[in-house]
Amino acid sequence: MSIEAVKPPSPGLDTAGQAPVITDAGNTSARTALHLDAVDKFYGDPANPAVHAVKSFSMEVAEGEIVALLGSSGCGKTSTLRMIAGFETVSRGEIKLAGRRIDELRPAKRNVAMAFEGYSLYPPLTVRDNIAFALKAAKLEQGEVDRKVDHIADLLEIETILGKYPSSLSGGQQQRASLARALIRKADLYLLDEPMSQLEPQLRSVLRGRIKSYLIEHGLTSVFVTHDQTEANALADRIAVMEDGVLQQIASPAELKDRPANLFVATFIGEPPMNVFPARLADDNGHLHVVVEGEGAAAGFTLDLGEVSRPAGSRLTGGAAVHLGVRPHSVSLGRGGNKGLLVSNQWLGDQTHVVIEAAGQTMVAVSYGRVDEQVGAEITFSLSPQAIHLFAQDDGRALLHGTEAVG
Amino acid sequence: MTSLELNAVSKSFKNDQVLSGLSLSATEGETVVVFGPSGTGKTVLLRLISGIYDPDDGDIRLDGSSVVGIAPEHRGIGMAFQNFALYPHMEAADNIASPLEARGGTAAQIMEKVREIATLLKIDHVLSHRPKELSNGQKQRTALARALVAGPKILLLDDPLRNVDAKLRFEMRLELPRLLRDFGSTTLYVTQDYKEAMALGDRIAVLLKGDFAQVATPQDIYNNPVNVEVAKLFGDPTINLIETRLTVADGRAQADLAGTTVELGTGYDHADGRDIVVGVRPEAISVSETPLEGALPVELIAVTPLNERVVMLLHLADGTEFFASSPEDGATGTRRHGPAFARIAPDAVLVFDRDSGQRIHPLDAGPQVSGQQTQ
Amino acid sequence: MNHTSTAERIIRGLLLTLVLLFFLFPIFWIFLMSFQTNEDILRIPPSLFFTPTLENYVALISGRLSTVAGDLDIAFMRNLWNSVLLSSLSVGVALILGVPAAYAFARFKFRLGENIAFTLLSFRFAPPLLVLLPLSLYFSELGLSDTYLGLVWVYQLIALPLILWIVRGYFEDISPDIENAYRIDGHSWAKTFRKIAIPLARPGIAAASLLAFIFCWNNFVFALVLASADKQPVTVGALAFVTASGIQYGQVAAAIVLSVTPTLLLALYAQRYLVEGLSLGAVKG
C-alpha cells in the first residue's frame, strides 16, 4: 500500500516539530487579491517586544473570496485587520493588495472599504448621506446613487431610517448603516470588523444569508473579524483561526470541522465543543486500538480502528499518549455497546443536548429530535471510528481524522 | 407546595409602566425561567422579589407570607447578578462567605462551607484572589457560589451567563440543572437566550410588554405558542411567518402561499375567510430538487451552515423570504442554488390571526399538547 | 502609530524639561534662599555661590527675629502648630459631616437634593470677604472669635464642599448592585455603608481629604480677620516678617520651606495610597 495514497491534504504543518506557524497554501484557482507575507505586529521595543500581538502571519485571499478571522478576544485578529486597513503599522513583513504593496501607504490610498464595529458614521449627515458619501465623492449621478442606496438599505432593513441622523439610532442600526456605507463603495477589499455584533439574534440570522449572497453576487473580496463561529461559518469561504497571535489553521468551515490541525482548533470550532478524553494507543497486530481508561468504579472502553495505514514517522504507535476527540453530533445514542449514565437532557426545539457520564468522563451528545430517557437512567451509545480524531498529548497536533492518519 | 407567589404585581418608574399586574406562582424546588427580549422588565421583576424595589401594587409572597415592605436583608433570598456584582475589595472566599457571615456561625464553620461550594463549582483554587484577578468564568461561578452558599429558599439568577463566552455558557447550561436540583431552591432564572430558557426551565414565563404572555413548559411554548410574538422568540432561525388567508373547502382548511395551496388540516371551520399568518418552524420544512406531493416551488438563495445544521434561505414565487433548516449530514434536499421544492410537514403549521396575532386553534382537536416530533 | 523618530524624542525631552523648570525652579530657589542671609539674597546679580547659614531656621525655631533695627519676638512655631491643628480638625469634621452627606446625595434622589448640594458648592464661589464682615460680627456676639472652634467652623466653608462633591462622585461610580448584593446577603443598611461603600470610595475620600487639607492650610483671610496672634496659622503669621526695617527674605524663605514641608509629605504619602486605591480598579468588579 502506498503511503501517498492516504496522505490527506496537509494543512501546512511541517512535521519537524517547530512552533505551529501555519502558512497558507493559498487558493491557486483564482487570482490573488490580498497577500499577507509573514506579518508581525509588536508593541514596544522590537528586540524585546512588550506585546507580540501578531506572529508571522501569512495568508492569501483570492479575488472574490470571503475570509473570516476568528478567535477569542486578544488573539490578534483585530490587529491583523487594522494592519490591512492601515490603522496600525506593520512591524515586520509585507501586505500586498491587487498586486501592489500597501503596508507603507496611508489608509486612504489603499482602496479598502471598512465597516467598523463601533460608531463611525458622520454625525452631521443623515444615514442616506452617510451611505452615499463615497458614491457622491466618486461623482456618480444622483439617480444612480439613490438607486444603489435604496437597494442596500432594503437588504439591511434600514430603509425606514435613511432620513435620520446617527445620534438617534440604536447600536444595531448604526452598525447596519456603517456596513451599508462600506459595502456600497467600490474597493479592492472590504474589511468588516465584527459586522453583526450589535444586532439582535433574530435579525442576525436573516442578514447573514443576505450579506453573503450580496458579497458573492458582486464578487467582493472581503476579510471580516468575528469572535462568533456561527457567523464565521455562515459567511466565510475560509476561516483563519487565530490564538495568541498565531494563525492556527486557515481552511473552509467543513475542513476545519473535519480536519482540525490541532487540539485548539478542534475544541474551538464546533458548537457544542468537541468531547476530548485522554487515551492511550495500543497496537494489536497492525490493528490500532484507542484505549480510554476507566476511572475508579467506572469501566473504560476501547475502540478498534482497524488497520490504519500510517505514513513514515507517524506518531500513531502502540503506547502513544493521545487525546481522543469526538464531536457531540457523532455520538450515536441508543445503540452500540457502551453504557453510560444520562446526567442531563436538554431539548432545544430542533435538537437535544444530553450529557453522558461514562468511563469517569462526561460526554456531550447532540441528537435531532427528542431523547426519551430520563436523567439518571442508563443510556447506550456508540462511537464510530469514522468520526473520531486523535491528537498528540504533548503538542496537541492532529494525528488522525476518522481512519485517515495525518501525514 | 407554593414557595413563591406573585399576585397582580405592578411597577412603574415615573410615567413608564414596566410591569402591569403580573401573576406567577412557583412550587418548591421548581425552576421558572423568565424569558423575554431586553427592556421588558425582567430585571425589575427580580428586584421586586429581592426587595431592592417595592411594587406599586400587588403582593409578593414567599412561603405563604407577604414580603412587601420587608428589607432585602430579611428576605433570605440568594441572588446572582448579570454583572456579577462581586465585592472588589474582598477575596473570592470573603465574597462567598458574606451571606454566611450575615447568618452567624464560627469562622471555621463558614470557611468549611465556602470550601465545599467552591470545590463543587471548581473555583477552590482561586479563593484567595480578588475579583479583578478572576477570569470572567470564575467571576460568574463566584457570584453563583455566593448566591447558593446559604441554601436560600428562593434563588434569583439575573441572566448569569450573559457575560461569559459561548463555551463557558454552554458548560454552565449543562451543569446548572444538577446544581439547582442539589440545592433544592426555588429558582427564578432570567435570560434572553431561548436555548437557555428551554434547557433550564421546568416552566418558561414569557414576559412581553410588562406581563406574562405565556407560562408553560418548554415543549408547550415551542409547539403551541399563544401568539405570534411568543412564537417569534423561539428557534434559530426563527419561525417563518407568512401572511395569507384561510379558506375552508369540504371541512379542510387551506391557505394560498404564493400561488400554491397548502393544507392546514381540519377543524378551522370557524376561521373560514379570516386573514391569517401561517407559522412554520424552519426544521419542519424539507427542501429537495425534485417536486414532492404538495411541495411549494421555491428559489434557493443561500445556504449557510449553523452549528452542524444548514440553513437555507428560500424565496417563494412572489419573493417572500423564508428559511428551512436540516441536519448537515441529513440526506434531505439540495445544496445547489436555484429552483427547488419545499415541503412543509403538515402537522407543523401554526395558524395565527393576522390582526391580533393570537393563535387560532383547530376546534375539534383542541390545543395540541403532545410534542410534535419534527425532523 | 508607534514610530518615534529621534527628533521627536529630543523635542519631547526638551519640552518636559521646560515644564519641569517652570514649576520646580521657584521651589528650588526658595530652598536656596532659606540658607542665605538677607544680604546674599539681595545681591545683584544673584549668585549660586554663598556660605550657607542655618540662621534663618534658628531664628524661626527659637522665635527671635534679629533685624538691623533690633530683635523681634515671633510666634512662627506656634503658627505652624495652629495650621496643623486647624487644618486637621477641619478636615476631620468635614469628613464626619461630608461623607454621609455625599452618600445620601449619590444614592438617594430627594426633593431639593440637587439644590442643596449646589448651594453647598456655591460656598466655594462666594468671595470670602463677602461673608467675613457679618461673620466677624456674629462671631464676636457668640464668643466664637479667636477660638479654634470658630475657625474650624468657618473652615467648613472650604473643606465641606470639596469633600462632598469629590466623594459623591466616587460613591456614584460604585455600582448600586454591589451594595444591593450585600444587603440581599443579609447585611443591614448601616453595615453595607461601612463595609462596602466606604472602603470602595476610600481613594476618593483620601483625595478629597488631601485637597481639603491643602486648601485649609493655604487659607489666609478667614484667620486674618477672625483670629488673634496665638490662634493664627502660618499664612497669617508670615506677615510678621514684614518688619519696619524691611522684609526678612531669608526667614520668609525658611518659613515657606517649613510650612510647605507637612503638606508636601502628606501629598507624597497620600499619592502612594491614591495610586494603590485607584489601581484596585475595583469598582467595576
Side-chain angles (χ1 to χ4, degrees), chain B residues 21-158:
Chain B
L22 54 80
S23 301
L24 178 76
S25 71
T27 54
E28 204 173 316
E30 188 185 21
T31 300
V32 177
V33 172
V34 178
F35 169 78
S38 55
T40 48
K42 301 187 295 292
T43 295
V44 172
L45 179 64
L46 289 200
R47 277 152 199 255
L48 288 174
I49 299 169
S50 64
I52 297 169
Y53 302 142
D54 274 327
D56 301 338
D57 220 343
D59 196 12
I60 298 169
R61 304 176 86 83
L62 303 183
D63 274 337
S65 46
S66 174
V67 291
V68 173
I70 292 177
E73 60 264 34
H74 298 129
R75 294 190 182 193
I77 280 173
M79 179 158 173
F81 291 77
Q82 185 189 315
N83 53 10
F84 313 129
L86 296 176
Y87 316 128
H89 56 306
M90 297 183 193
E91 294 173 359
D94 295 328
N95 266 282
I96 300 171
S98 165
L100 297 173
E101 274 161 7
R103 285 160 176 80
T106 67
Q109 285 170 335
I110 289 175
M111 209 48 226
E112 195 194 314
K113 277 198 163 171
V114 169
R115 271 241 173 77
E116 198 178 303
I117 194 161
T119 312
L120 195 64
L121 282 163
K122 300 173 204 134
I123 44 170
D124 42 326
H125 57 295
V126 292
L127 277 179
S128 61
H129 292 201
R130 296 263 179 100
K132 68 158 180 174
E133 298 160 334
L134 300 175
S135 72
N136 252 6
Q138 290 165 342
K139 280 185 200 168
Q140 187 261 316
R141 281 163 185 267
T142 306
L144 206 57
R146 186 177 69 190
L148 279 169
V149 71
K153 288 212 131 170
I154 306 286
L155 181 64
L156 306 175
L157 303 177
D158 187 0

Side-chain angles (χ1 to χ4, degrees), chain C residues 7-191:
Chain C
E8 251 179 89
R9 238 172 290 159
I10 291 171
I11 291 172
R12 189 185 299 169
L14 219 70
L15 286 173
L16 272 174
T17 316
L18 268 174
V19 169
L20 280 181
L21 216 63
F22 183 80
F23 284 109
L24 291 184
F25 183 74
I27 296 174
F28 171 70
W29 199 247
I30 290 277
F31 186 72
L32 285 188
M33 275 168 71
S34 71
F35 293 102
Q36 290 173 340
T37 59
N38 236 14
E39 292 75 53
D40 282 335
I41 293 167
L42 296 174
R43 192 166 51 207
I44 292 175
S47 163
L48 277 174
F49 305 100
F50 59 90
T51 339
T53 167
L54 285 175
E55 210 177 278
N56 297 322
Y57 289 96
V58 171
L60 289 176
I61 291 165
S62 67
R64 294 207 61 77
L65 188 58
S66 349
T67 70
V68 261
D71 284 1
L72 264 171
D73 278 338
I74 50 163
F76 180 77
M77 291 317 281
R78 169 137 198 122
N79 291 338
L80 199 61
W81 168 242
N82 283 341
S83 277
V84 172
L85 193 72
L86 284 172
S87 304
S88 316
L89 274 178
S90 303
V91 171
V93 170
L95 281 177
I96 292 168
L97 296 174
V99 171
Y103 185 74
F105 283 125
R107 277 285 176 267
F108 307 111
K109 299 295 160 224
F110 44 89
R111 227 155 55 86
L112 296 180
E114 283 307 311
N115 297 333
I116 296 170
F118 191 76
T119 307
L120 282 167
L121 183 68
S122 69
F123 293 160
R124 294 289 306 146
F125 306 153
L129 284 171
L130 202 71
V131 289
L132 260 177
L133 192 63
L135 259 184
S136 61
L137 292 175
Y138 284 132
F139 268 43
S140 50
E141 195 72 23
L142 293 167
L144 283 172
S145 335
D146 202 23
T147 61
Y148 287 126
L149 177 67
L151 281 175
V152 167
W153 190 337
V154 178
Y155 273 25
Q156 293 312 308
L157 287 178
I158 304 163
L160 196 55
L162 268 175
I163 302 263
L164 190 74
W165 276 81
I166 294 177
V167 176
R168 175 190 178 173
Y170 275 78
F171 280 136
E172 278 170 350
D173 279 349
I174 303 172
S175 157
D177 275 349
I178 292 177
E179 290 173 30
N180 290 335
Y182 201 68
R183 288 197 70 190
I184 292 169
D185 283 350
H187 302 282
S188 68
W189 175 86
K191 195 173 174 201

Side-chain angles (χ1 to χ4, degrees), chain B residues 66-319:
Chain B
S66 174
V67 291
V68 173
I70 292 177
E73 60 264 34
H74 298 129
R75 294 190 182 193
I77 280 173
M79 179 158 173
F81 291 77
Q82 185 189 315
N83 53 10
F84 313 129
L86 296 176
Y87 316 128
H89 56 306
M90 297 183 193
E91 294 173 359
D94 295 328
N95 266 282
I96 300 171
S98 165
L100 297 173
E101 274 161 7
R103 285 160 176 80
T106 67
Q109 285 170 335
I110 289 175
M111 209 48 226
E112 195 194 314
K113 277 198 163 171
V114 169
R115 271 241 173 77
E116 198 178 303
I117 194 161
T119 312
L120 195 64
L121 282 163
K122 300 173 204 134
I123 44 170
D124 42 326
H125 57 295
V126 292
L127 277 179
S128 61
H129 292 201
R130 296 263 179 100
K132 68 158 180 174
E133 298 160 334
L134 300 175
S135 72
N136 252 6
Q138 290 165 342
K139 280 185 200 168
Q140 187 261 316
R141 281 163 185 267
T142 306
L144 206 57
R146 186 177 69 190
L148 279 169
V149 71
K153 288 212 131 170
I154 306 286
L155 181 64
L156 306 175
L157 303 177
D158 187 0
D159 215 344
L161 305 185
R162 180 85 181 277
N163 289 328
V164 299
D165 67 49
K167 208 163 167 178
L168 276 171
R169 200 179 315 151
F170 177 75
E171 277 171 19
M172 278 313 284
R173 202 179 80 202
L174 292 176
E175 213 175 301
L176 261 176
R178 202 164 14 158
L179 201 65
L180 298 179
R181 214 168 28 243
D182 289 351
F183 277 84
S185 305
T186 306
T187 306
L188 230 54
Y189 186 105
V190 157
T191 182
Q192 34 184 335
D193 176 343
Y194 88 89
K195 286 182 184 161
E196 252 171 74
M198 293 190 57
L200 299 177
D202 293 321
R203 285 186 300 153
I204 300 174
V206 182
L207 188 57
L208 285 172
K209 299 184 197 97
D211 200 1
F212 292 125
Q214 189 170 9
V215 183
T217 61
Q219 182 178 332
D220 244 4
I221 296 239
Y222 194 81
N223 292 331
N224 287 304
V226 292
N227 59 33
V228 168
E229 291 300 312
V230 173
K232 274 204 298 204
L233 291 173
F234 292 83
D236 182 20
T238 184
I239 192 167
N240 295 296
L241 296 164
I242 301 167
E243 295 188 352
T244 177
R245 180 192 292 265
L246 189 145
T247 52
V248 178
D250 297 336
R252 304 183 62 82
Q254 298 174 326
D256 175 88
L257 294 187
T260 309
T261 303
V262 172
E263 296 286 334
L264 301 179
T266 55
Y268 286 105
D269 293 4
H270 60 296
D272 192 8
R274 293 251 292 268
D275 284 337
I276 58 162
V277 175
V278 165
V280 189
R281 299 227 175 255
E283 66 269 18
I285 300 173
S286 45
V287 179
S288 74
E289 276 175 90
T290 47
L292 295 164
E293 168 85 30
L296 298 161
V298 292
E299 178 94 13
L300 178 55
I301 302 296
V303 180
T304 53
L306 178 78
N307 309 334
E308 316 269 332
R309 300 180 70 91
V310 287
V311 174
M312 287 161 275
L313 173 59
L314 307 164
H315 277 182
L316 284 177
D318 62 355

